[in-house]
Amino acid sequence: MVVEYLDDSVIKKRANELIDKYTSGSITDIEGIATQKLGLKIRFIDLQSCYGNGTLGMILPEDKMILCDKSLEPYGKYKEINEHILRFTIAHEIGHYTLHLKYMGDSGSPFFHRNLKNHEQKRLETQANILAAELLMPEAEFRKVYIHTFYNEKIRPTYDIKGSLSNKFNVSKEAVGYRIQALNL
């Protein structure tokens, strides 16, 4: 099976369709899109013990379910950090659900991509990440907020631009850093 190359503009268009259809407000209600709009269930299990360290999420399309690692449950001491990672994980799995169903076949196996070549697996993951970033940090709004925040930083040199954008979009500083880099800001 050959994984189709999707231009970033195609992925961005799909993300914006989801935003336009399902979102009102400045912060994307990613859990609402998954559960209320796409009809997906979100469950927490010990994915890392089952599938290896670093496995934070997977989509089971036949069951219409996103599985998230139990470490991301939005409770406890690391609630804020977990919430940021959880939101990105859910958005990433929505990316697979909306872009990659044809590659998953009938089994819905969490290892659907094991039959793909390494570069094809990377392509799927990159495409899901691009869609997730666009859902959570829509380009036009992100650019506008970045520019406004950047000028504030110039006025106050100790200002934490990534922290400010992280709070504004409810994502991790790491996700903000990747978004800044992807948009050449």
Side-chain angles (χ1 to χ4, degrees), residues 57-58 76 103 108 146 159:
M58 66 178 54
Y103 303 114
Y146 175 86
Y159 196 72

Side-chain angles (χ1 to χ4, degrees), residues 155-185:
I155 294 167
R156 297 180 289 158
T158 60
Y159 196 72
D160 177 10
I161 191 167
K162 287 183 183 175
S164 178
L165 293 170
S166 170
N167 290 334
K168 167 68 177 157
F169 290 97
N170 198 14
V171 296
S172 69
K173 287 182 181 182
E174 183 179 23
V176 166
Y178 284 125
R179 191 67 169 149
I180 289 169
Q181 184 179 12
L183 297 176
N184 295 315
L185 297 173

